[in-house]
Amino acid sequence: MKSKREHDEVSINGECDRKRRRRSPSPSPSPPPPSAMNGSLSSSLLPLASYDDDEDDENGGEVEAKGREENRNDQFESDEEEEEAHGGARGGGRRRDVEVRRDCPYLDTVNRQVLDFDFEKFCSVSLSNLNVYACLVCGKYYQGRGLNSHAYTHSLEAGHHVYINLRTERVYCLPDGYEINDPSLDDIRHVLNPRFTMDQVLQLDINKQWSRALDGSNYLPGMVGLNNIKETDFVNVIIQSLMRVTPLRNFFLIPDNYKDCKSPLVQRFGELTQKIWHARNFKGQVSPHEFLQAVMKSSKKRFRIGAQSDPVEFMSWLLNTLHADLKSASNNRNIIHKCFQGELEVIKEKIHSRAVLENNENGDEQVKMAGMEDGTTQDDVMLDRYRMSFLMLGLDLPPPPLFKDALEKNIIPQVPLFNILKKFDGISVTEVVRPRIARMRYRVTKLPQYMILHMRRFTKNNFFVEKNPTLVNFPVKNLELKDYIPLEPRKGETLRSKYDLIANIVHDGKPGEGVYRVFVQRKSEELWYEMQDLHVRETLPQMVALSETYMQIYEQQL
């Protein structure tokens, strides 16, 4: 027989079990008391235990950070949003106040000689691009700054204590965790993200001042060399040429012009433009590594590091892709078409369907026009007239001679630029065989502000690629087109047909094996510079025209 005390304990326990069973199906149970947190926590609440690192610790805020990782190029996200995006303090993501100090005993350990912000912002340990910090002592990139982060661990192992957030530009001292607010670090912030005001942009073509790098060498802003990562000279010459197009350069120097565009290619091209024209760089050269990575991704590896490509194809792809990406943004400025777009009138003479194909004695197909014996009539040819836009004009070089001279040397012919420009006078006939045999006539009806010409030097047959060595004689200044191409001014517009050369890309060597270099003009002093990757040197204007030109950019005179 049970005692009265045992009977009371059984009754109390049974009543508690019944209450628990009644509460279990409730959709919103009340939180357990603090004394039961250690043993009665349900499995659905276990993930909350992972949010107990520092507010910038990536291990603690990865869930929220993934949502913003796709938009890591957004330069206008506030510092507070970035702090919240990468985790929070104990208690579910609330930010914890960080001490801000101006005096830091480790500022003298900052080594600006090793800082290089031209490469992709990835942690050197985890290869993550979320919440990356740069060690200002050794220059390496690490992720996070919480207790379990790679930057925190590096600060303890290597004794390096000063780190800058590559996105917010905030500087912290680890492992202490306080923020450093010292004006002596502003030069590092300017190198990380160069900034230009509109007044500074307008003075670029007037400024004649040289800049000095940390190693004591002098360089000209806008005339800096570009690293050749591996057979990327075809990219470097295009970048250096486009940097001479003033409206395009000014557009990308101000990030507000394309802040709504989420294209990585647009953002990387803008960052590269800012670094090339920045007057406070630590080095006298720039590496286009981040831009090349964006090119590889956007072109689906059509243009990639380690594989030589054609600058003409790259220029065409780059301009069209930049225009398409900018057009998709809400603030479409159409800067590409504003600079380079012109208009052509095309007259296409197609063989009429009554023309038949006959086999000759060699088995080759040849065209025989119906009624050719009596003379071709108008009914045998169909005329197709239409207008089309263009970003660059392709010029055909005359074929080189087949024979050698008396000294057994190849004769290198020369041709004036005006002769090959007659292709666009509306009278000269160009025969094409693809997609079908036709006779084409072209006439320029609208001139662009910046005219891109490329000479068709390379032809591919069934066996190999041939290069035409013909030299093109062209003027460096005052190229008057109306003397060779019939131009008509549009209503209300003044005809401006005189151009000056601003960039000239040349090819040296055999097809597929040679290298590219470019001659560009510095407007502030009207001097010409020869640029080949990292090599930049002044040259005479007469030397510009003594090379095998491959692509040119002309600027319209005002």
Side-chain angles (χ1 to χ4, degrees), residues 166-355:
L166 295 179
R167 183 169 184 177
T168 65
E169 302 179 11
R170 294 183 177 182
V171 182
Y172 296 91
C173 179
L174 298 181
D176 297 341
Y178 61 85
E179 182 180 350
I180 305 173
N181 183 15
D182 193 287
S184 64
L185 302 173
D186 289 343
D187 61 336
I188 299 178
R189 295 186 176 96
H190 281 282
V191 173
L192 175 59
N193 290 315
R195 302 171 179 84
F196 292 86
T197 63
M198 185 55 66
D199 292 337
Q200 291 174 336
V201 171
L202 297 178
Q203 295 294 322
L204 289 178
D205 290 334
I206 305 176
N207 183 26
K208 300 181 181 181
Q209 186 175 1
W210 289 63
S211 298
R212 182 178 294 273
L214 290 180
D215 59 359
S217 61
N218 296 324
Y219 70 93
L220 287 168
M223 310 297 294
V224 298
L226 296 176
N227 282 336
N228 187 340
I229 308 298
K230 187 179 180 183
E231 296 185 5
T232 56
D233 51 333
F234 73 97
V235 176
N236 292 346
V237 294
I238 295 299
I239 293 174
Q240 298 287 14
S241 300
L242 292 179
M243 291 300 102
R244 312 310 133 195
V245 181
T246 303
L248 184 71
R249 177 203 65 190
N250 295 349
F251 177 86
F252 281 99
L253 285 178
I254 306 297
D256 287 344
N257 293 330
Y258 49 94
K259 63 181 180 180
D260 296 330
C261 182
K262 307 304 180 183
S263 168
L265 183 68
V266 173
Q267 299 294 335
R268 299 291 89 79
F269 186 78
E271 293 172 2
L272 181 59
T273 304
Q274 295 160 23
K275 291 178 180 179
I276 290 176
W277 287 94
H278 191 221
R280 298 168 61 182
N281 286 328
F282 291 161
K283 311 184 303 298
Q285 67 271 353
V286 176
S287 176
H289 187 269
E290 281 193 289
F291 175 71
L292 288 170
Q293 293 291 336
V295 167
M296 290 175 58
K297 184 177 180 180
S298 183
S299 67
K300 299 179 181 180
K301 295 189 177 180
R302 176 184 174 187
F303 305 101
R304 62 184 186 273
I305 299 175
Q308 185 69 270
S309 296
D310 190 349
V312 174
E313 295 181 5
F314 179 70
M315 172 75 89
S316 177
W317 173 86
L318 180 62
L319 295 182
N320 284 284
T321 305
L322 289 176
H323 172 70
D325 293 343
L326 290 171
K327 187 177 180 181
S328 61
S330 58
N331 60 341
N332 175 26
R333 301 292 184 88
N334 202 14
I335 186 64
I336 303 298
H337 283 184
K338 178 182 177 182
C339 294
F340 302 107
Q341 189 180 51
E343 189 179 76
L344 279 177
E345 181 186 56
V346 182
I347 302 176
K348 186 175 183 180
E349 301 178 1
K350 296 186 296 183
I351 299 176
H352 196 270
S353 59
R354 287 191 298 163

Side-chain angles (χ1 to χ4, degrees), residues 294-509:
V295 167
M296 290 175 58
K297 184 177 180 180
S298 183
S299 67
K300 299 179 181 180
K301 295 189 177 180
R302 176 184 174 187
F303 305 101
R304 62 184 186 273
I305 299 175
Q308 185 69 270
S309 296
D310 190 349
V312 174
E313 295 181 5
F314 179 70
M315 172 75 89
S316 177
W317 173 86
L318 180 62
L319 295 182
N320 284 284
T321 305
L322 289 176
H323 172 70
D325 293 343
L326 290 171
K327 187 177 180 181
S328 61
S330 58
N331 60 341
N332 175 26
R333 301 292 184 88
N334 202 14
I335 186 64
I336 303 298
H337 283 184
K338 178 182 177 182
C339 294
F340 302 107
Q341 189 180 51
E343 189 179 76
L344 279 177
E345 181 186 56
V346 182
I347 302 176
K348 186 175 183 180
E349 301 178 1
K350 296 186 296 183
I351 299 176
H352 196 270
S353 59
R354 287 191 298 163
V356 294
L357 292 175
E358 292 186 351
N359 293 331
N360 60 13
E361 296 178 355
N362 298 326
D364 298 331
E365 293 183 342
Q366 63 181 8
V367 178
K368 183 177 181 180
M369 299 292 299
M372 186 171 292
E373 296 177 356
D374 301 330
T376 302
T377 63
Q378 186 66 23
D379 295 335
D380 297 326
V381 176
M382 291 191 304
L383 295 181
D384 188 6
R385 186 190 301 265
Y386 56 91
R387 294 197 176 190
M388 60 177 295
S389 301
F390 69 88
L391 295 180
M392 62 176 67
L393 296 176
L395 303 178
D396 301 319
L397 297 177
L402 300 176
F403 304 100
K404 299 181 180 180
D405 60 6
L407 300 178
E408 294 296 323
K409 293 183 179 180
N410 288 325
I411 302 174
I412 301 179
Q414 300 185 24
V415 59
L417 177 63
F418 309 107
N419 288 2
I420 56 179
L421 275 175
K422 291 180 179 180
K423 174 182 177 180
F424 301 99
D425 60 2
I427 302 175
S428 301
V429 175
T430 303
E431 296 183 355
V432 297
V433 295
R434 294 179 180 178
R436 61 176 59 184
I437 299 176
R439 293 160 56 89
M440 311 290 292
R441 286 183 290 166
Y442 306 96
R443 185 174 69 89
V444 177
T445 57
K446 179 184 177 183
L447 291 172
Q449 184 178 2
Y450 289 85
M451 183 171 59
I452 304 177
L453 304 177
H454 75 91
M455 289 64 183
R456 305 183 189 273
R457 288 198 175 273
F458 302 102
T459 56
K460 185 176 182 180
N461 54 31
N462 295 330
F463 304 99
F464 51 86
V465 178
E466 294 180 304
K467 179 182 178 182
N468 191 330
T470 302
L471 296 179
V472 179
N473 300 324
F474 56 89
V476 175
K477 297 184 73 68
N478 299 323
L479 171 63
E480 182 59 80
L481 294 181
K482 68 178 182 180
D483 296 337
Y484 307 93
I485 300 177
L487 299 170
E488 298 178 359
R490 297 197 171 191
K491 295 182 179 180
E493 295 182 2
T494 303
L495 179 62
R496 294 184 297 172
S497 58
K498 189 173 290 188
Y499 285 82
D500 294 332
L501 184 68
I502 59 174
N504 181 37
I505 299 175
V506 302
H507 178 266
D508 300 321

